[in-house]
Amino acid sequence: MSIKVIVQSIAIGLLIFSCEPKTHDSESTSTTDDWPQIDAFHITMAEAFHPLKDSGNVEPANRLITILADEADEWARAPLPEKVNNDEMKARLQKLKTDLRALANEVNKGAPVDLVGTTLYSIDEQFHEIMEVWHVESVKRPRGENH
């Protein structure tokens, strides 16, 4: 077999492989692309919470708390994706917004480190509960599927 035939065979194989339809898990379940506010909040929450969780450093939380409160407010006002557009999720987002605004007010008044830490742990738990509900609903109702 000549080198030309081998190269052509490889090229044809690669072409066929690259044209095959791809399946991804994201096609079978919804992603956070369907709810961009969850991603925006998650990024800021991680920047604020992980230094506290990992090393007890509350400074990033103090610095970012007003931004987190603003993001929670925007998130609570934004339209909800159909699969979580219910009173339970609206109440969860409202509580997250209220608790973050209260913490931001306390931080701005010079709240002690232990209050910031304890409250932020609680808020992080609330956020993870929202994420859990979102992911459970995403599995129950894949993208594009009506209820």
Side-chain angles (χ1 to χ4, degrees), residues 127-144:
F127 171 63
H128 281 277
E129 288 170 2
I130 291 168
M131 284 180 46
E132 184 177 322
V133 169
W134 169 246
H135 290 296
V136 166
E137 290 302 317
S138 295
V139 170
K140 284 176 29 183
R141 258 186 256 163
R143 174 181 278 163

Side-chain angles (χ1 to χ4, degrees), residues 85-125:
N85 190 0
N86 56 54
D87 291 340
E88 177 190 348
M89 185 57 74
K90 290 174 186 174
R92 287 178 184 273
L93 290 170
Q94 186 63 41
K95 179 167 178 24
L96 184 74
K97 170 187 138 177
T98 301
D99 290 355
L100 269 164
R101 187 59 64 195
L103 180 57
N105 290 340
E106 290 299 318
V107 166
N108 290 333
K109 290 190 264 182
V113 170
D114 61 332
L115 173 71
V116 176
T118 302
T119 306
L120 198 57
Y121 265 92
S122 174
I123 289 168
D124 183 68
E125 191 173 302

